[in-house]
Amino acid sequence: MRMGLEGKVALVTGAARDVGRDIALALASEGAAVAVNYNSSAEAAQAVVNEIKSTGGRAIACKADIANLGAVKQMVDRIATELGGLNILVNNAGLVIRKRFAETTPDEWRRQIDTCLYGTIHCCHAAGPLLEAGKNGRVISLMGDSSRVGESGLSIGAAARAGVIALMKSLAREMGRSGTTANAVSLGLVETAHDRSWVEANRDKLVKFYPLRRLGQPSDVAPMVTLLASEHGSWITGQVISISGGFSMQ
Ligand SMILES: NC(=O)c1ccc[n+]([C@@H]2O[C@H](COP(=O)([O-])OP(=O)(O)OC[C@H]3O[C@@H](n4cnc5c(N)ncnc54)[C@H](OP(=O)(O)O)[C@@H]3O)[C@@H](O)[C@H]2O)c1
């Protein structure tokens, strides 16, 4: 099924690598112009842009720390100027520190909430007027299943993302009149480059929690995000959709 994103402009936060990279490439392959946001991974972000351009697509790399509202506003202004608007916001960037709650420091919980909750609020606030002005805007926020069912060692990240679920549902109600949808995509454990050694050491134990007996890959996530971003997702809003191999069932 073609998703038909020609003429659309998408911002994917944290798109230099892993899940965000796959989402950026998938949206571009459907015809969207893509703003590839990064914070520290400048080279990797440029590589994603180059890959999109090499297949005839449009893309720019945009540095912004999403915890900084001023930087987010500047990024969104630049996207509007250089790519001609903004129709799809994918809140993918995240910072989650796996640690027992009792051992978590105030600095660690602030950094996680600044990125995962405030960062998402900043991006939605800066992008909202453009998404609604273009009609049929799309907001898609990535998170873990821990935000719905809780998980030992992930309490702060889960709490921050539970706030994002409430934000998505509320935006779905506020923005619906312009045809704009807002949804959450909730992940089980998706294998990425940065935690590969931990996953390898624990794989046998981990897969037992998954009815499908495997962990996720970034390529498991991008198709659902692309569908939600497309016209095929135009009657799906305010939902939390789990891509988790059955890790949680609600
Ligand atoms: N992988 C999983 O198993 C899993 C499970 C549940 C939920 N999730 C969530 O799904 C999303 C994608 O997963 P992932 O594993 O691919 O994520 P990730 O590698 O942990 O993080 C994605 C990107 O977030 C960016 N980022 C962090 N802080 C930022 C900030 N202040 N401003 C801008 N960008 C920032 C980083 O960009 P730079 O590299 O440029 O600094 C990083 O590349 C994340 O939100 C993650 O929390 C992932």
Side-chain angles (χ1 to χ4, degrees):
M1 181 162 54
R2 290 292 300 166
M3 295 298 166
L5 298 180
E6 292 82 5
K8 303 288 184 186
V9 177
L11 163 60
V12 184
T13 64
R17 53 189 175 85
D18 300 326
V19 174
R21 174 181 182 278
D22 249 61
I23 292 170
L25 293 175
L27 295 177
S29 75
E30 293 292 338
V34 181
V36 177
N37 162 257
Y38 68 96
N39 189 28
S40 59
S41 301
E43 260 182 51
Q46 192 55 48
V48 177
V49 168
N50 293 346
E51 194 168 338
I52 292 171
K53 286 184 169 173
S54 72
T55 55
R58 292 171 71 212
I60 56 172
C62 301
K63 177 173 168 57
D65 174 354
I66 61 165
N68 178 333
L69 177 59
V72 169
K73 281 182 173 167
Q74 276 184 6
M75 169 172 68
V76 169
D77 286 348
R78 187 182 152 213
I79 293 166
T81 305
E82 294 188 24
L83 297 179
L86 183 56
N87 311 99
I88 300 160
L89 167 63
V90 182
N91 293 304
N92 167 79
L95 172 68
V96 174
I97 300 169
R98 188 177 283 276
K99 207 169 188 184
R100 286 181 60 76
F101 179 65
E103 290 154 13
T104 306
T105 66
D107 177 62
E108 287 169 337
W109 70 61
R110 281 196 193 98
R111 282 168 49 219
Q112 291 179 80
I113 290 171
D114 279 351
T115 306
C116 295
L117 180 55
Y118 281 113
T120 303
I121 291 171
H122 295 161
C123 290
C124 291
H125 201 268
L130 288 169
L131 297 175
E132 291 206 275
K135 302 283 180 203
N136 306 330
R138 298 283 184 269
V139 185
I140 301 148
S141 293
L142 280 287
M143 59 195 56
D145 268 358
S146 56
S147 54
R148 300 192 305 160
V149 298
E151 194 170 329
S152 173
L154 292 178
S155 50
I156 302 300
R161 259 58 189 277
V164 173
I165 291 177
L167 179 68
M168 291 303 102
K169 291 183 177 181
S170 303
L171 293 185
R173 293 190 187 280
E174 275 193 24
M175 294 177 152
R177 255 180 262 174
S178 66
T180 300
T181 66
N183 290 289
V185 170
S186 163
L187 307 183
L189 187 50
V190 175
E191 292 189 53
T192 57
H194 70 274
D195 60 4
R196 204 164 307 285
S197 55
W198 178 80
V199 167
E200 283 314 330
N202 294 287
R203 184 182 300 279
D204 291 348
K205 273 186 281 175
L206 291 167
V207 292
K208 291 189 180 135
F209 291 97
Y210 291 81
L212 292 172
R213 290 295 187 269
R214 72 168 176 88
L215 304 179
Q217 299 298 321
S219 58
D220 290 314
V221 182
M224 176 56 73
V225 174
T226 308
L227 183 140
L228 290 172
S230 76
E231 275 310 293
H232 299 293
S234 65
W235 216 46
I236 305 171
T237 196
Q239 303 303 308
V240 185
I241 297 164
S242 181
I243 302 179
S244 66
F247 176 81
S248 80
M249 299 185 191
Q250 275 195 329

